[in-house]
Amino acid sequence: MDTITDSINSARNILLFPKKRTIHELQNQKNMKIFPLVPNDLLFSFYIQGYRLFLAIYTIKGNETTKHILECSSISWLNNIIVLLTSCLETLQQLKDKLGLFEPINKNN
């Protein structure tokens, strides 16, 4: 049951907390190769946080990087997934608590 809980929690956290990438990772990602006409001092990063889609635009000038974030849209079905994942976690915890009541009985037998 712990493995299921961990997997559901991981899925929920991936949607809520996007992985932060370094500038170097962004420069070398496959997505940037799709836009061959984009100058080398511009980087694009699309990511999901919660139920929203974001576009981050990085401008690189020497050692200085400027970041601009645009919220592209809200994706309602992602919100539904987050709610369902949270509900699953709560239900699993309730089940775990109820099964925990039987542990003393099993130890005595």
Side-chain angles (χ1 to χ4, degrees), residues 46-109:
F46 286 97
Y47 62 91
I48 292 172
Q49 185 173 15
Y51 59 91
R52 297 173 303 197
L53 176 64
F54 290 92
L55 167 62
I57 303 169
Y58 298 88
T59 307
I60 304 168
K61 293 189 181 177
N63 290 334
E64 189 177 314
T65 303
T66 307
K67 180 179 177 181
H68 303 281
I69 298 177
L70 303 169
E71 183 176 341
C72 299
S73 66
S74 296
I75 305 169
S76 60
W77 59 269
L78 278 176
N79 188 47
N80 294 342
I81 289 174
I82 293 168
V83 169
L84 289 172
L85 289 171
T86 303
S87 176
C88 284
L89 287 171
E90 291 170 355
T91 302
L92 279 170
Q93 186 59 50
Q94 290 170 357
L95 179 60
K96 195 174 179 181
D97 293 343
K98 288 178 182 176
L99 291 175
L101 294 174
F102 295 106
E103 282 183 27
I105 296 170
N106 287 337
K107 288 182 182 178
N108 292 334
N109 291 332

Side-chain angles (χ1 to χ4, degrees), residues 16-39:
L16 292 175
F17 310 108
K19 179 182 176 187
K20 295 190 190 285
R21 301 189 188 276
T22 65
I23 295 297
H24 181 69
E25 288 175 324
L26 291 172
Q27 287 172 324
N28 294 319
Q29 69 181 351
K30 292 178 185 177
N31 296 346
M32 286 307 297
K33 292 171 181 46
I34 295 172
F35 305 105
L37 300 177
V38 175

